Amino acid sequence: MDISYTYALVTNALSNARNIESRIRQKQLDLQLQDIHIQYQSFGGNRINATLTRQQMLHEIELLIIDRDSTISQAIDAAIVIVTAELANNVEPLFSVGSMALGNIISFIDAYRLKVTISFPTMLKISQLSSQLMLRGVEYFDLKNKVDRFRSY
């Protein structure tokens, strides 16, 4: 397994998630403008059409959020693959590419203040990795803290 390729998967997934988040924020702004439009719209057909457009925008935002969360889960999965390979090869935690990948994902989530729903299979992998790291010793404390941060999202 090529760690640099897997790390590229993490960075590509984060880039995709960033693009999706940008689209979500644009849709949310459009939704606010639509709300203003509805508020000052007189009753009638135009108000009904505006309300239907608003409902469609809400649905599009929900779909984008699901897509973003799925993309973030894929990035976490790839980072876990890196960490697992490094643990198998006894790579020092100080020089861990997996730790750096997990840190990048955490920074992305924190920077955008996202409420992420991580997929169930990914949460299982996080729990398994956390248990493995607990048995490894104190030198893996920082890496374990990064892994455990995903449990709080």
Side-chain angles (χ1 to χ4, degrees), residues 130-145:
S130 179
S131 297
Q132 280 181 333
L133 291 170
M134 190 182 315
L135 301 174
R136 285 287 179 143
V138 178
E139 62 271 7
Y140 290 91
F141 183 74
D142 183 53
L143 182 58
K144 183 175 179 341
N145 280 342

Side-chain angles (χ1 to χ4, degrees), residues 85-143:
E86 289 176 341
L87 289 174
N89 294 327
N90 293 319
V91 173
E92 288 293 322
L94 186 59
F95 305 109
S96 172
V97 174
S99 178
M100 187 170 59
L102 291 173
N104 289 343
I105 298 166
I106 290 168
S107 295
F108 172 76
I109 293 170
D110 290 346
Y112 285 99
R113 295 185 179 113
L114 300 178
K115 294 179 181 171
V116 179
T117 304
I118 299 172
S119 69
F120 184 73
T122 302
M123 287 303 288
L124 283 176
K125 293 175 187 175
I126 289 169
S127 294
Q128 290 171 343
L129 182 57
S130 179
S131 297
Q132 280 181 333
L133 291 170
M134 190 182 315
L135 301 174
R136 285 287 179 143
V138 178
E139 62 271 7
Y140 290 91
F141 183 74
D142 183 53
L143 182 58

Side-chain angles (χ1 to χ4, degrees), residues 24-34 57 61:
I24 290 170
R25 291 182 186 249
Q26 181 61 48
K27 291 278 185 192
Q28 288 171 334
L29 178 62
D30 293 344
L31 184 63
Q32 289 175 348
L33 293 173
Q34 187 68 23
M57 292 170 111
I61 290 171

